[in-house]
Amino acid sequence: MSTSLLGIAKEGEEFFVINITENYKARLVRWFGDLENRIAASLKAGNSVALVGPHGTGKSVLARYIAARFVGEYYAVIDLGVDVVTFDSLLEMLHEVPNALGFYDPLGISFYDNPLVPRGELATQWIHRCRYVVDRAMYLDTREVPTLLVLPRDVLHFSPCRDLVEKNMRVLDIAEYLKHVELRGVLEEIFLSHSSALGCRKADPRPYVDYILTRHGDLSGVYALAAYGGRLYARQRCAPYQPEALYKKAMEELSKVYYGLYRELFFPTCREARVLALPLTLSLENEHLPVEVAYPLANVDHIARRLSILGKMGTAADALLREEILEELRDLYSPREELIHAVRWSVAPKESVVREALRQAVGADPCMTPMGNPVQKLRTVYKGLLVLRPDIILQIARAIASIALGTGEHC
């Protein structure tokens, strides 16, 4: 996997994306003027901002540009993710500058992939330390220092700090802004900027950009795919290309990055991967299990044994023994605290670039191969639900009827 550390540099009136490890600089395509001004104005007014949105839509590039601009205006930029000693020393600088800005972009120090600082490791730090980071932001706020927080939408939504962030910061979704820019022209400029930085004097980005936009109507990944496409085009010696083939190569690189990110974040061990294998596989095919069904799938063998014991009990069976078995069954349907966010993520709809990237990579991971018969597992889980909650039998009957009539989804 290639390495790509990012920096933002200014030469005259132009800004450049400096790719330190691959030794080139691409002209920064400033498509975000209005959004940049809104964020900057909000920060200067003392309001903290959370910039969220899909992967690969330029959030980190925009945030780094704003941070660089603030530094140029004699601001101290304080990284909320550093260790205590460094954070305290940064606080000591506040009296030396007229203003300051808190900044936290855990995935933005790398340009899609950097094995020295894996994106998954950075995202995991956010999940486990997010309250610590938000507490720092709130502390800076008491000293009239606003904070700019940058996160992919789902990394925020499936973290323990979602409510804290939404309560204490102004949340801006970059995807909403992208709907109001001439995106096709911007993506063509991005492609050209990265290809020319690597030596391609002439290129026609239109077929490739058209193909990206047909594949990603939700706009996820479009910025990253345009940049990757320009780089790959240059590496192919600027030869004529087929958009489908160039896109396939770009997605092959991105799939490794995104799979590494989500694996580290939600299923770092093979045991945890097996828990999520079935609900995640269904989710990637747009079949989304209810969380009440996804949680107990990991315990399906134990559930089957309890159901077998209950089925063999006669009406004269010891009521106390029956209640003990039912209590064990309830425990098997109760989510484990450490898996709550992972399971919720696994069953949730995914943005298109993540769904496509994970579908490519999941099949190559032996830990993500569902064990046993998936249909039988689901039947067992639903049988257990009916034992614990007989009141839902009508709901299930209606769902089965809608499936039989072809008017409903399988899940």
Side-chain angles (χ1 to χ4, degrees):
M1 189 183 294
S2 62
T3 63
S4 304
L5 281 176
L6 255 194
I8 303 290
K10 185 177 183 181
E11 293 183 11
E13 295 303 314
E14 289 280 358
F15 280 85
F16 291 86
V17 177
I18 306 296
N19 190 307
I20 297 168
T21 47
E22 293 192 359
N23 195 29
Y24 75 89
K25 62 181 181 181
R27 183 175 57 84
L28 178 59
V29 178
R30 289 192 57 206
W31 52 268
F32 44 73
D34 292 342
L35 182 58
E36 171 209 334
N37 291 334
R38 285 175 60 194
I39 294 173
S42 188
L43 293 168
K44 289 180 179 180
N47 301 311
S48 290
V49 175
L51 178 61
V52 302
H55 288 280
T57 48
K59 300 181 301 299
S60 292
V61 173
L62 169 57
R64 290 203 161 270
Y65 175 83
I66 291 173
R69 170 179 158 181
F70 271 51
V71 170
E73 297 177 8
Y74 305 102
Y75 280 67
V77 176
I78 301 173
D79 187 349
L80 275 66
V82 297
D83 60 73
V84 174
V85 175
T86 306
F87 183 73
D88 289 343
S89 65
L90 290 171
L91 292 180
E92 292 175 4
M93 296 169 53
L94 292 182
H95 69 279
E96 299 177 6
V97 291
N99 295 291
L101 168 70
F103 186 77
Y104 189 73
D105 183 9
L107 302 189
I109 71 164
S110 58
F111 189 41
Y112 314 131
D113 51 305
N114 170 25
L116 299 177
V117 190
R119 287 171 65 86
E121 180 181 316
L122 295 164
T124 303
Q125 289 177 10
W126 159 253
I127 292 291
H128 293 309
R129 300 176 62 222
C130 65
R131 292 185 185 277
Y132 179 62
V133 171
V134 175
D135 284 347
R136 280 184 170 182
M138 296 305 100
Y139 173 72
L140 290 180
D141 192 56
T142 64
R143 299 184 63 170
E144 300 182 348
V145 176
T147 294
L148 175 58
L149 172 68
V150 188
L151 284 169
R153 189 189 294 141
D154 55 358
V155 175
L156 171 63
H157 283 187
F158 294 100
S159 80
C161 295
R162 175 180 178 178
D163 292 341
L164 271 176
V165 170
E166 292 177 344
K167 180 180 178 181
N168 294 290
M169 294 183 175
R170 181 185 181 192
V171 179
L172 293 177
D173 192 327
I174 202 169
E176 293 302 313
Y177 178 78
L178 287 176
K179 296 175 182 177
H180 305 290
V181 300
E182 206 287 284
L183 189 59
R184 188 181 303 275
V186 169
L187 296 178
E188 290 175 7
E189 280 195 69
I190 292 170
F191 182 100
L192 290 170
S193 177
H194 283 268
S195 62
S196 64
L198 293 171
C200 290
R201 296 182 180 180
K202 293 183 179 180
D204 182 6
R206 290 172 297 176
Y208 179 70
V209 168
D210 288 343
Y211 192 77
I212 289 175
L213 292 174
T214 60
R215 297 294 295 256
H216 299 284
D218 63 352
L219 307 183
S220 69
V222 290
Y223 193 109
L225 286 164
Y228 259 108
R231 289 161 60 182
L232 289 168
Y233 171 73
R235 288 173 186 164
Q236 295 175 183
R237 300 183 180 181
C238 316
Y241 67 91
Q242 292 295 324
E244 298 89 343
L246 191 62
Y247 174 84
K248 182 179 179 181
K249 290 184 178 179
M251 278 304 307
E252 284 174 359
E253 292 200 23
L254 275 178
S255 66
K256 299 172 188 174
V257 175
Y258 288 138
Y259 193 67
L261 166 65
Y262 285 104
R263 201 186 199 296
E264 182 69 27
L265 189 57
F266 291 123
F267 48 104
T269 69
C270 201
R271 179 183 178 187
E272 290 164 326
R274 294 199 186 285
V275 171
L276 301 186
L278 180 53
L280 179 58
T281 301
L282 289 172
S283 172
L284 297 179
E285 299 300 327
N286 288 322
E287 297 282 359
H288 308 291
L289 289 175
V291 290
E292 296 85 357
V293 175
Y295 283 133
L297 275 171
N299 303 320
V300 68
D301 292 336
H302 299 292
I303 291 169
R305 292 191 199 99
R306 272 48 174 198
L307 292 176
S308 176
I309 294 170
L310 288 172
K312 293 175 182 177
M313 284 184 172
T315 53
D318 187 336
L320 183 59
L321 178 60
R322 184 180 182 85
E323 184 55 38
E324 285 180 0
I325 296 172
L326 286 172
E327 188 60 35
E328 290 176 358
L329 201 57
R330 291 187 192 98
D331 288 341
L332 294 171
Y333 277 80
S334 300
R336 286 159 42 196
E337 185 68 27
E338 65 272 19
L339 284 176
I340 287 178
H341 296 295
V343 175
R344 286 178 179 169
W345 167 79
S346 73
V347 301
K350 313 286 186 293
E351 59 194 61
S352 62
V353 73
V354 171
R355 185 172 65 248
E356 192 167 337
L358 295 187
R359 284 171 71 176
Q360 284 192 26
V362 161
D365 186 345
C367 293
M368 288 302 293
T369 304
M371 304 289 287
N373 187 324
V375 175
Q376 186 59 46
K377 285 186 174 185
L378 288 170
R379 284 176 179 166
T380 300
V381 169
Y382 274 113
K383 283 180 184 178
L385 272 178
L386 288 175
V387 170
L388 295 175
R389 292 187 53 194
D391 56 297
I392 66 171
I393 190 168
L394 188 57
Q395 288 177 256
I396 293 179
R398 285 173 178 166
I400 292 172
S402 69
I403 293 170
L405 295 171
T407 59
E409 292 186 356
H410 296 295
C411 297

